[in-house]
Amino acid sequence: MRKHIYIAYTGGTIGMKPSSQGYVPAAGFLTETLAKMPEFNRSEMPLFTIHEYDNLIDSSDMSPSDWQRIADDIADNYNDYDGFIILHGTDTMAYTSSALSFMLEDLAKPVIVTGSQIPLAELRSDGQVNLLNALFIAANFPIAEVGLFFNNRLLRGNRSRKVDADGFNAFDSPNFPPLLEAGINIRLKAGELAKASDKKLTVSNVSAQPIGMVSLYPGIAPEVIKNTLQQPVNALILLSYGVGNAPQNPKLIEQLQYAKSREIPVVNCTQCMRGRVNMGGYATGHGLQEVGVLSGSDMTPEAALAKLHYLLSKNLSFEQINLLLTANLRGELSE
């Protein structure tokens, strides 16, 4: 029997149409466009059902409430389909992919987030090959986790980052190999095919959390961190140098000590595209460790943000949150 895949169109470039103001989302346009493309209806392809959301949004407007809507939509249709495709704008695709990876617990079916740099209806669109491959892979190479498919590679969702604003190879997974590569042959890399499971999918709800994110730079004033912590923040992501280093300004360290006293988790992620945080490597990193800053290891900032939303939305103690932040929950970090 042909597999049946559920496609949720949330908005984004792939289903947009041209207008005098540029590309805009238009209700029904994606469905109409796909109906005119016979390759999507060949016998080798799975059956699919498209659900266009009532409020199609540009992904730059995505928020945790939209992550919740997508997760709930998957849960509501989970028993009726063999896999799920989420069509999404590229700007925040890595954030949504990361968030869904934490929210969808005991996932036993593939969830693939994809989109395009050029609308599906336009000449030279990358949307056709991205969606065609995502559908084929979901049906024939099901990997039971949240993946991001772009330019012939299926990446682990919570390891992905947008690395090119206008190229077709827009996403990369700097610290983890692709789950699958679709060349002349489709080859599994780090991914594992799903096994039959009787576990029930559960959705861990998230709510919007005030989270600060500060990127260090030469000469940064301690007041930058102080002012961030004075806001009603529940956590802070520190984007540090190299393997987790920061200036040893006593007043800056004092602010991080203040965060600990207020039970505000501070996660240290590197500004570098590749590599991982090792605060014990240099004295400039060790100082952060001494005041309770947590190592983000090789988590992407997108994954760190999504993970904080996931954990802060639960009724957990400060100690439990700190423990789970540094634990590998969904393959988001290397231990």
Side-chain angles (χ1 to χ4, degrees):
M1 291 179 61
R2 292 167 72 182
K3 298 288 184 68
H4 197 169
I5 308 299
Y6 183 85
I7 301 176
Y9 176 44
T10 68
T13 299
I14 191 168
M16 289 185 176
K17 66 186 299 185
S19 75
S20 57
Q21 288 81 39
Y23 292 126
V24 294
F29 186 66
L30 175 76
T31 302
E32 292 171 11
T33 302
L34 282 176
K36 298 173 184 176
M37 295 181 165
E39 55 271 33
F40 282 92
N41 299 292
R42 290 175 56 142
S43 60
E44 304 98 311
M45 291 294 291
L47 301 171
F48 58 87
T49 295
I50 303 173
H51 174 203
E52 294 195 17
Y53 286 7
D54 293 334
N55 181 29
L56 298 175
I57 63 173
D58 187 289
S59 74
S60 59
D61 288 324
M62 276 281 167
S63 68
S65 63
D66 296 300
W67 301 341
Q68 190 68 55
R69 176 174 63 162
I70 296 167
D72 289 341
D73 189 22
I74 291 171
D76 289 343
N77 292 281
Y78 191 72
N79 293 328
D80 299 326
Y81 296 91
D82 299 297
F84 300 84
I85 306 290
I86 309 301
L87 297 181
H88 195 287
T90 60
D91 285 346
T92 59
M93 188 182 288
Y95 288 96
T96 297
S97 300
S98 296
L100 291 176
S101 77
F102 295 111
M103 296 172 70
L104 300 174
E105 302 193 7
D106 293 325
L107 184 63
K109 296 179 181 181
V111 174
I112 300 177
V113 186
T114 191
S116 67
Q117 296 283 64
I118 299 176
L120 187 65
E122 294 294 291
L123 186 67
R124 297 184 56 249
S125 172
D126 55 327
Q128 181 174 340
V129 68
N130 284 344
L131 179 53
L132 196 74
N133 275 286
L135 278 166
F136 188 85
I137 289 164
N140 297 287
F141 295 85
I143 297 172
E145 61 177 278
V146 178
L148 186 156
F149 188 87
F150 226 86
N151 199 35
N152 297 315
R153 294 191 303 166
L154 181 66
L155 310 177
R156 174 165 288 167
N158 58 35
R159 291 285 194 155
S160 62
R161 302 202 73 186
K162 188 173 183 183
V163 296
D164 195 328
D166 54 15
F168 286 149
N169 197 24
F171 289 88
D172 198 4
S173 175
N175 291 309
F176 194 77
L179 299 175
L180 174 151
E181 289 183 349
I184 294 175
N185 297 304
I186 294 177
R187 292 190 174 90
L188 284 172
K189 294 291 186 178
E192 296 182 3
L193 296 183
K195 298 184 175 79
S197 172
D198 56 1
K199 288 185 177 179
K200 183 180 178 181
L201 175 74
T202 55
V203 173
S204 189
N205 295 335
V206 300
S207 56
Q209 301 291 328
I211 298 171
M213 186 179 292
V214 175
S215 184
L216 298 179
Y217 55 86
I220 186 171
E223 287 74 21
V224 172
I225 293 177
K226 179 180 180 180
N227 291 338
T228 302
L229 292 173
Q230 284 180 343
Q231 305 300 316
V233 298
N234 290 339
L236 175 65
I237 298 171
L238 200 65
L239 301 178
S240 62
Y241 306 132
V243 293
N245 300 319
Q248 291 303 285
N249 183 328
K251 291 188 176 180
L252 187 149
I253 299 298
E254 184 180 304
Q255 295 306 316
L256 299 174
Q257 178 69 59
Y258 169 77
K260 182 181 179 182
S261 70
R262 289 276 310 279
E263 295 193 343
I264 298 173
V266 180
V267 184
N268 187 2
C269 294
T270 177
Q271 294 176 13
C272 299
M273 183 64 70
R274 291 179 173 81
R276 62 193 293 179
V277 166
N278 173 19
M279 290 186 289
Y282 294 85
T284 48
H286 188 69
L288 300 182
Q289 199 170 34
E290 287 185 329
V291 293
V293 174
L294 304 169
S295 170
S297 185
D298 54 358
M299 270 195 298
T300 66
E302 295 90 340
L305 185 82
K307 190 174 184 178
L308 279 166
H309 273 90
Y310 166 74
L311 294 174
L312 291 169
S313 296
K314 296 177 177 291
N315 186 25
L316 300 173
S317 68
F318 177 64
E319 290 74 19
Q320 287 174 311
I321 290 173
N322 285 353
L323 183 66
L324 292 171
L325 274 172
T326 55
N328 182 24
L329 303 182
R330 301 286 193 280
E332 74 278 6
L333 59 82
S334 302
E335 296 181 281

